[in-house]
């Protein structure tokens, strides 16, 4: 069944920049889809329109049966808890530990004040410990996040996204700042999250080889338009 459907989504910045033109596609539950394309193609804007970090200027986005563009503030917050976001630069709070950053992912569903006061339940703490352990960060759990390597930071980013039990992960260039070895670790974790947890993964990548290797499906974007949508195999024979 479809988890996400984009219908002729467009985004215009100012008068002249048409970042996205009539983007349409459907993504099934549990699919692992990579969006590839050159810098400036619109990949980041596309991903951000889905949870309305960027407001689309046209079209419709249906997530889990709900039209996202029409949502009021409260309903949007609720939908966002089901969409985990992973960033190129991790977006961790430096002075907080790995586990504190992970628990920060709970803030979508409680007040910021509660988070600041450390009012997390024992159950939430246990869930964070378990997640970090699964991601190979047992030793790093109580380290400040600015002491971690890039690959470790990104795994904390994944833990922070997963702690809300999302239905989908949006990953914006998750390995663009990482060395090949750490990149492989991150891609393997994302693949496992899709295959074993059934969480839909939508990832922006500019590394074509990596996209071909890990994805069920590739969406190629150029100048704000879809130029390819299909299996990795079809992509390699065309290029
Ligand atoms: P990142 O992907 O590292 O988070 P940003 O989201 O800040 O980077 O920017 C993504 C792209 O959008 C970049 O190519 C950047 O040049 C462009 N961009 C961001 N903000 C603006 C702006 N206000 N005006 C023009 N281009 C912008
Ligand atoms: P990609 O992620 O593929 O590098 P982006 O989605 O970041 O592409 O950018 C697509 C286009 O939209 C680019 O021309 C970029 O400069 C422009 N753009 C992105 N964000 C902004 C913004 N906040 N303000 C103005 N222009 C932007």
């Amino acid at each position: 069944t479809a988890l996400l459907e984009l219908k002729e989504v467009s985004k215009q910045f100012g008068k002249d920049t048409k970042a996205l033109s009539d983007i349409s596609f459907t993504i099934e539950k549990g699919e692992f889809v990579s969006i590839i394309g050159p810098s400036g193609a619109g990949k980041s804007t596309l991903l951000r329109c889905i949870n309305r970090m960027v407001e689309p200027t046209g079209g419709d986005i249906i997530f889990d049966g709900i039209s996202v563009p029409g949502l009021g503030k409260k309903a949007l917050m609720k939908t966002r808890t089901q969409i985990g976001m992973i960033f190129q630069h991790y977006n961790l709070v430096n002075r907080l530990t790995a586990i504190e950053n992970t628990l920060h992912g709970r803030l979508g569903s409680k007040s910021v004040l509660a988070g600041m006061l450390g009012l997390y339940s024992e159950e939430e703490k246990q869930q964070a410990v378990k997640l970090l352990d699964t991601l190979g960060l047992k030793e790093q759990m109580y380290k400040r996040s600015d002491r971690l390597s890039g690959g470790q930071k990104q795994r904390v980013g994944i833990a922070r996204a997963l702690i809300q039990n999302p239905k989908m992960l949006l990953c914006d260039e998750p390995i663009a700042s990482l060395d090949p070895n750490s990149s492989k670790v991150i891609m393997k974790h994302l693949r496992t999250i899709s295959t074993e947890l059934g969480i839909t993964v939508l990832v922006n990548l500019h590394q074509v080889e990596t996209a071909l290797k890990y994805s069920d499906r590739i969406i190629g974007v150029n100048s704000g338009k879809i130029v390819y949508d299909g299996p990795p195999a079809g992509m390699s024979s065309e290029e």
Side-chain angles (χ1 to χ4, degrees):
T1 50
L3 178 68
L4 176 71
E5 185 176 5
L6 270 70
K7 295 179 183 173
E8 303 188 343
V9 170
S10 60
K11 175 63 187 180
Q12 178 121 8
F13 288 109
K15 271 205 157 76
D16 301 320
T17 311
K18 186 122 200 192
L20 299 173
S21 318
D22 298 330
I23 298 283
S24 299
F25 58 77
T26 300
I27 294 182
E28 306 294 316
K29 185 181 178 298
E31 251 191 311
F32 190 118
V33 181
S34 290
I35 301 175
I36 63 171
S39 186
K43 304 183 296 296
S44 183
T45 302
L46 175 55
L47 225 58
R48 284 158 198 238
C49 279
I50 294 168
N51 64 0
R52 276 176 54 195
M53 280 174 74
V54 165
E55 292 283 352
T57 39
D60 200 2
I61 296 168
I62 315 288
F63 174 78
D64 204 24
I66 294 167
S67 172
V68 179
L71 292 176
K73 229 178 183 174
K74 263 202 169 147
L76 178 61
M77 291 278 274
K78 194 174 165 214
T79 290
R80 278 183 179 164
T81 65
Q82 300 177 359
I83 305 176
M85 187 95 197
I86 311 280
F87 303 91
Q88 176 180 349
H89 301 293
Y90 328 116
N91 293 16
L92 302 178
V93 182
N94 280 331
R95 66 190 160 75
L96 298 183
T97 63
I99 191 162
E100 286 167 337
N101 267 289
T102 302
L103 286 162
H104 233 64
R106 298 292 315 179
L107 290 183
S109 53
K110 61 170 68 180
S111 82
V112 174
L113 189 61
M116 280 165 54
L117 295 173
L119 301 178
Y120 297 106
S121 69
E122 210 40 53
E123 194 188 335
E124 286 170 325
K125 287 180 196 163
Q126 282 315 309
Q127 196 191 352
V129 166
K130 214 171 135 189
L131 271 171
L132 290 167
D133 195 5
T134 308
L135 288 158
L137 293 171
K138 204 177 183 131
E139 308 295 319
Q140 287 77 27
M141 237 172 258
Y142 300 101
K143 279 193 184 157
R144 268 176 65 131
S145 57
D146 52 6
R147 305 260 162 79
L148 303 177
S149 72
Q152 291 168 342
K153 284 180 186 166
Q154 193 58 293
R155 281 183 273 153
V156 176
I158 293 173
R160 179 185 55 192
L162 288 181
I163 201 162
Q164 299 223 81
N165 302 315
K167 293 186 172 152
M168 179 167 69
L169 290 188
L170 298 177
C171 315
D172 197 0
E173 299 283 359
I175 58 170
S177 306
L178 300 177
D179 61 77
N181 206 41
S182 305
S183 297
K184 202 168 158 183
V185 171
I186 295 301
M187 291 308 295
K188 280 187 169 173
H189 278 301
L190 293 177
R191 185 66 247 188
T192 304
I193 286 162
S194 154
T195 308
E196 284 174 24
L197 303 181
I199 295 172
T200 306
V201 175
L202 186 53
V203 52
N204 281 352
L205 291 169
H206 62 258
Q207 305 90 331
V208 180
E209 287 302 318
T210 306
L212 295 178
K213 186 170 169 194
Y214 291 94
S215 316
D216 297 323
R217 172 178 163 198
I218 307 281
I219 296 177
V221 176
N222 203 350
S223 305
K225 295 192 177 85
I226 293 182
V227 294
Y228 180 85
D229 185 351
M235 181 92 209
S236 22
S237 65
E238 265 178 35
E239 296 284 298

